[in-house]
Amino acid sequence: MLNDSTDERYEQFVSLFTRHEPGLRAFVRSLVFSWDDANEVMQNTGLVLWRKFDSFDQKTDFMRWACVVARFEVLAWRRDKARDRHVFDEDLVNLLAEEAAEEHEVLANERRALEFCLRKLSEKQRRIVIAAYEPGVRLNQVAAALGKSATAFYKTLNRARGGLLKCIEGQVIAEKGDRA
Amino acid sequence: MNREVFDEICQRWLNGELSDEQFAALQESLREKPEFRREFIRLANLDSGLRDLAMVEDVAPEVTLFPAAKTLRAGFLAMAAALALLAVSVALFLKQPTADSVAGDAPRTMGVAVVTAEANAVWEENGQAIRKGAPLEPGVLRLESGLAQIDFFGGASISLSGPAEIELVTRDKAVLNHGRLKAEVPPAARGFEILTGDVVLEDLGTTFGLAVDENVGANLIVFDGEVVATGRDGKPMSLTNGQSASLINGETKRQPPSEVGDFPDIEDVFAGSGNREDLRYANWKEASLELRQDPRLIAYYDFENLTPVSRRLKNRAVSGSELDGGIVGARVAEGRWGDKTALDFRLEGDRVRFDIPGEFDGLTLFAWVRIDALDRHLNSLFVTDYFDEYEVHWQLSGKGALHFATSPEGPEDIQEHNRRYYSDVFWDPGKSGQWFHLATTVRMGVGGVTHYVNGEAVGFSGGTQMHKPLARLRIGEADLSNWSDPIWETALRTLNGRIDEFAIFQEPLSAEEIRMIYENGKP
C-alpha cells in the first residue's frame, strides 16, 4: 500500500519519466535493430527505473541515470536474443550508448527542431512520413494504401528523411547563432 | 565503406530492409568510425522523434482528432493515430485522384480488336455495332463491300476487302470464312493465327495476303517474313518472302505467286477514298509500324485507338506492355488527322505515368505536340519525378523554347551542376493549335545535346553549365505533360495542349533520321 511519501515519489518519477521518455526511447532506438525491439526494451526499462528510483540521486541528471539503466536493459535483452540475426555486439552497444548519452542534450534540441522541419516538408512528403511512422504499420502496407510501389515509397521516404536531417542541422546551428 | 554506401544502408535499416550481410557491414562500419556512429545516433534520434510526432500530428485539417489526446495515455494515442492513418489515406485518394493510379480501374471491355480505318465500308447490320475506334468483341463480322482496317489487340493488323466474313476469336486469332485480307504482323504480335476452313496459318512476324473462296479454297502469299501453314494432315509448311501456296480441302500445296491476285492494304484503302488527309495518315501509319520495330527504342507510344475509357497508353516497341503508360485525367481528342487519336492535357491532374528502368549512354526523345498555350515558366513534356541524379527533364519554356535538363548531382546545388539547354524560340501564341514535331537527342560528354523542331536542328538561346560533360541518363518514374513529386512544392508544370505520338530511344538518332520521322508524320 502506498503511503503519502511513496505517492509523492511516484509523482516525481512520472513527471521525470514523461519528460525524458522521448529522449530515452531515441537512445534505446540507437542500440537495437527494430522498433519492436526498442518497444520491448523500453517496457522493461520503465519498470526497472521505477523499481530503482529510490537509488536515484535527485541532484543528478535523470537522463544520464536513465541511460545507464537502459543500456543495461539493452545488454540483458541482447543476451536473450543474441542468437537472433540482427543484434549489435556488446562492445558496440557500449560504444553507442556512451556516445548517445553524451549527446543527449544536442539530440533533444534536434528533436525539437524536427517538429518545425516537418512542417517545412512538402505536403506530400509530410503525409508520407507521418503515414510511415504511425505505430504498428508495415511500410509495404502503407505504400500499398497510398497506391505507390514500395520502391517509389521508400525513395520518397528516404528523401524526406534526408531533407529533415539537413533542415535540423540548419535549425540547430541557427539557434546557436541566435545565442551567440 | 564510403559515406554513400553507409547512408544507403542506414536508410535500409530504418525501412526494416537490411539483409544479413548489410547488417554485418553496418555493425562493422559503426565499430570503426566515430563519425558513422554519430550519424547513426542522429538518424535513430530522427526516427524516434518522427515516431513521437506521428502519434500527435494533425496530418490534415479534417483529422484534428481530440486535441487533448497529447496528454492522454499511449493506448489512446495509438488509437487516435490509427484513425488518423485512415483519414490520411482517404484524404490522399480524394485530393490526388491523379497520381499513380496506373493500370485500369476503368471498366474493361471484352474487346479483342478495333476498326481503325474504313473506305466505303458497308457492314452487314447484325450483332455488334461496328464503329471506327470502338472495341470489337469476339464474334463474326460481315463486310459487304469496301475496305476496312482491323487492329487486333495482340498487335496484328489486317486490311479486309469486302465482301468478306471474318470471325474474331481472340486478340491473336481470327477465322477468315471468305474474302481477302492482307495482314501486317509486327514482331511483338508473333504467333498471330488465322484459320481458314481447315488450315491454320501461324504468322511468325510478317506481311501476308490470304484469299478464301468457300467453294474453291484458299490462296496464301507471303510478302515478307515467314508464315507456317498447317493443314488437316498436321504437317507444317513454312512459307517465306514471295512464296505462295494453295490451301484446298485441308491440304497445302506450293504454287506460283502469280495465282493469287491483288491484296489491297491500308494505303490502297485511303487511295480509294482519295482524301489527302487520309493519305497522310496512312503514310504515317505505315512509317509508324516500321518504326516500332527499331531495336534502339526504349519505348514507343503511337496514341492510336484510344477510347474515353482507355487508361493504358500502349508501348508499341518490342519492350512491350511493361512500359505501358497509365493515363490519368487526360482526355481523348483528335490528333494530327481526323481519325487519329491524341490525349488532351489541360488540368492540373492530367498526365500519363511511366516507370522506365535503366541507365542510358544516350537518348532521343521525340513527340508530336499541339501547343495551345505556354502558361508556365516551364511546361512539361516529359519530366521524371523529382530530379534525382542523372534524371532528365524535357520541357517547353514559357518563352517558346524547347528545354532539356539533367544533372549528375540531382537537385543538389542546382546552380553549380544542372545542365540546361534552351533551344531557339520557335513558338509564339500565333502558333497556338498547330502541331509540332519536337525532338531532342542526347549523348554523353560535352556538346551532346541537339534540339530539333519540325525535323530541323535548331540552335540554343541559352542554358547553364552547357560546357560541362553529360553523364549517363536515367528516367524511372516520370510523367508526360506534368511533374509528379516536384522539388519545389509550388511548382506547376502542366502542359496546355495535346500529344499524339511519343518515342524514347536509347541512342541519339541522326539528323537525317529525325528529318525522315518528321516527313513521315507531318500533318
Side-chain angles (χ1 to χ4, degrees):
Chain A
M1 180 128 171
L2 300 175
N3 57 34
D4 280 357
S5 86
T6 315
D7 236 5
E8 203 176 296
R9 196 90 181 119
Y10 185 69
E11 264 172 35
Q12 271 173 356
F13 173 75
V14 169
S15 150
L16 281 167
F17 185 75
T18 313
R19 187 168 355 130
H20 293 286
E21 194 205 4
L24 200 58
R25 192 139 19 84
F27 173 79
V28 170
R29 176 71 185 111
S30 67
L31 306 181
V32 298
F33 178 70
S34 73
W35 267 108
D36 291 342
D37 298 346
N39 287 337
E40 215 176 307
V41 171
M42 268 306 281
Q43 261 177 3
N44 298 339
T45 305
L47 284 173
V48 175
L49 284 172
W50 167 235
R51 249 186 257 133
K52 297 192 169 173
F53 191 55
D54 279 342
S55 70
F56 169 62
D57 177 354
Q58 303 235 26
K59 288 179 212 103
T60 61
D61 184 342
F62 178 83
M63 186 61 188
R64 295 230 164 221
W65 175 70
C67 281
V68 173
V69 172
R71 187 214 298 204
F72 283 109
E73 284 308 307
V74 171
L75 291 173
W77 170 88
R78 70 163 291 291
R79 270 173 223 122
D80 292 345
K81 298 275 175 176
R83 262 173 294 146
D84 285 13
R85 301 184 308 158
H86 295 159
V87 177
F88 288 137
D89 290 348
E90 193 161 335
D91 48 351
L92 181 57
V93 171
N94 282 323
L95 260 180
L96 286 168
E98 250 158 60
E99 288 167 13
E102 190 69 35
E103 293 275 290
H104 82 84
E105 277 169 25
V106 177
L107 294 171
N109 281 339
E110 293 198 357
R111 284 196 310 280
R112 269 193 289 281
L114 175 61
E115 195 163 352
F116 169 83
C117 289
L118 195 57
R119 301 196 179 281
K120 299 283 268 189
L121 288 185
S122 75
E123 186 59 21
K124 184 176 164 185
Q125 282 191 334
R126 198 165 71 91
R127 282 168 186 276
I128 280 179
V129 169
I130 297 297
Y133 276 92
E134 294 294 344
V137 300
R138 291 271 165 264
L139 288 187
N140 51 0
Q141 289 167 355
V142 179
L146 299 181
K148 289 193 151 281
S149 74
T151 322
F153 179 76
Y154 286 141
K155 205 167 134 189
T156 311
L157 190 58
N158 293 347
R159 198 186 285 147
R161 284 201 204 99
L164 285 171
L165 277 182
K166 209 167 266 179
C167 169
I168 288 170
E169 199 160 10
Q171 279 303 110
V172 171
I173 288 166
E175 265 176 39
K176 275 183 194 157
D178 284 350
R179 267 184 251 132
Chain B
M1 183 183 295
N2 67 28
R3 179 59 185 260
E4 210 169 69
V5 177
F6 177 76
D7 284 347
E8 160 99 27
I9 286 195
C10 281
Q11 295 283 9
R12 294 184 68 90
W13 164 61
L14 292 178
N15 294 338
E17 307 178 282
L18 272 194
S19 67
D20 290 357
E21 293 76 36
Q22 287 167 330
F23 181 79
L26 173 66
Q27 178 147 273
E28 188 66 22
S29 59
L30 287 174
R31 249 191 244 114
E32 278 171 10
K33 290 202 177 163
E35 63 265 33
F36 282 166
R37 285 200 294 279
R38 193 173 173 272
E39 188 63 32
F40 182 81
I41 289 167
R42 284 189 72 212
L43 262 179
N45 191 49
L46 172 75
D47 198 47
S48 195
L50 282 172
R51 197 144 281 243
D52 294 340
L53 283 174
M55 285 224 232
V56 293
E57 185 72 4
D58 303 330
V59 283
E62 62 267 46
V63 292
T64 316
L65 290 169
F66 321 113
K70 292 188 189 192
T71 59
L72 297 179
R73 53 202 163 86
F76 184 55
L77 279 184
M79 190 186 72
L83 287 170
L85 174 64
L86 190 66
V88 179
S89 320
V90 172
L92 278 173
F93 288 128
L94 291 181
K95 288 191 178 155
Q96 309 189 305
T98 51
D100 307 317
S101 59
V102 183
D105 298 324
R108 282 265 165 83
T109 66
M110 299 292 295
V112 294
V114 60
V115 174
T116 47
E118 290 179 341
N120 307 316
V122 179
W123 298 93
E124 191 185 289
E125 299 278 343
N126 68 334
Q128 51 186 324
I130 295 160
R131 228 170 2 96
K132 225 184 329 178
L136 296 167
E137 295 182 5
V140 174
L141 305 179
R142 291 187 192 89
L143 181 64
E144 289 181 351
S145 62
L147 303 166
Q149 177 186 260
I150 301 170
D151 288 2
F152 286 80
F153 290 174
S157 179
I158 61 167
S159 286
L160 189 65
S161 319
E165 181 181 298
I166 189 166
E167 183 182 354
L168 310 179
V169 183
T170 69
R171 46 197 291 145
D172 298 305
K173 188 191 271 189
V175 181
L176 183 65
N177 293 328
H178 67 86
R180 300 171 85 81
L181 65 76
K182 183 175 178 183
E184 176 73 48
V185 186
R190 257 175 214 149
F192 176 70
E193 279 184 357
I194 291 236
L195 292 77
T196 70
D198 36 26
V199 176
V200 178
L201 302 180
E202 186 188 357
D203 198 314
L204 302 176
T206 171
T207 314
F208 69 88
L210 178 66
V212 177
D213 182 314
E214 283 153 305
N215 302 317
V216 183
N219 286 305
L220 167 72
I221 180 162
V222 177
F223 298 116
D224 184 24
E226 183 183 9
V227 168
V228 174
T230 308
R232 264 201 308 248
D233 57 6
K235 277 190 212 147
M237 174 194 282
S238 164
L239 294 150
T240 56
N241 303 355
Q243 293 182 328
S244 178
S246 65
L247 320 161
I248 299 166
N249 294 327
E251 259 183 78
T252 51
K253 266 193 206 137
R254 288 182 192 274
Q255 64 180 5
S258 53
E259 298 291 312
V260 295
D262 288 340
F263 290 88
D265 72 4
I266 178 74
E267 213 164 342
D268 305 324
V269 170
F270 287 122
S273 75
N275 179 324
R276 185 192 163 276
E277 177 172 313
D278 284 350
L279 267 176
R280 293 296 319 154
Y281 179 33
N283 192 48
W284 168 77
K285 185 96 184 169
E286 193 172 298
S288 165
L289 288 171
E290 182 96 3
L291 179 69
R292 60 167 75 170
Q293 301 178 28
D294 193 315
R296 296 169 299 175
L297 278 170
I298 296 169
Y300 175 57
Y301 307 91
D302 65 3
F303 288 65
E304 280 286 84
N305 313 325
L306 296 171
T307 70
V309 295
S310 298
R311 275 297 163 266
R312 200 174 252 257
L313 187 66
K314 292 227 170 115
N315 170 27
R316 306 289 186 186
V318 287
S319 47
S321 60
E322 273 299 294
L323 301 187
D324 283 355
I327 299 169
V328 181
R331 286 147 305 280
V332 178
E334 194 175 295
R336 272 167 282 166
W337 306 281
D339 289 340
K340 168 134 189 48
T341 48
L343 285 174
D344 185 86
F345 303 96
R346 205 154 301 271
L347 307 176
E348 207 178 310
D350 295 349
R351 72 196 68 196
V352 182
R353 292 287 291 156
F354 301 94
D355 190 353
I356 298 175
E359 285 191 355
F360 312 102
D361 293 345
L363 275 185
T364 296
L365 299 165
F366 87 68
W368 276 97
V369 186
R370 191 185 96 172
I371 305 163
D372 292 349
L374 294 175
D375 304 325
R376 334 254 182 225
H377 159 62
L378 285 169
N379 304 265
S380 166
L381 288 170
F382 185 59
V383 171
T384 60
D385 284 12
Y386 205 68
F387 187 54
D388 281 321
E389 59 271 22
Y390 311 122
E391 290 185 350
V392 301
H393 281 187
W394 195 45
Q395 303 175 91
L396 292 164
S397 79
K399 291 197 175 106
L402 193 53
H403 174 250
F404 177 84
T406 184
S407 165
E409 306 292 331
E412 305 301 324
D413 203 348
I414 276 198
Q415 296 310 329
E416 175 69 17
H417 299 294
N418 193 7
R419 283 79 156 136
R420 294 147 67 99
Y421 306 81
Y422 288 92
S423 77
D424 287 334
V425 170
F426 70 92
W427 191 91
D428 59 63
K431 301 197 173 67
S432 179
Q434 286 181 22
W435 285 92
F436 281 90
H437 184 256
L438 304 177
T440 299
T441 61
V442 187
R443 64 174 160 71
M444 293 207 298
V446 178
V449 174
T450 311
H451 289 304
Y452 295 86
V453 176
N454 286 343
E456 297 289 333
V458 293
F460 297 111
S461 63
T464 57
Q465 311 302 342
M466 292 165 72
H467 62 286
K468 290 191 178 168
L470 288 177
R472 58 216 150 104
L473 303 159
R474 274 189 208 152
I475 299 170
E477 291 184 297
D479 284 346
L480 201 63
S481 90
N482 217 315
W483 191 15
S484 293
D485 197 8
I487 306 173
W488 305 280
E489 197 178 342
T490 52
L492 203 56
R493 298 277 172 93
T494 322
L495 179 72
N496 187 346
R498 295 181 181 178
I499 296 177
D500 78 354
E501 189 179 2
F502 174 48
I504 315 169
F505 297 79
Q506 58 191 346
E507 282 177 26
L509 298 192
S510 70
E512 181 54 22
E513 286 174 307
I514 299 283
R515 198 184 62 75
M516 280 311 296
I517 289 169
Y518 164 70
E519 288 295 335
N520 287 327
K522 68 186 178 193

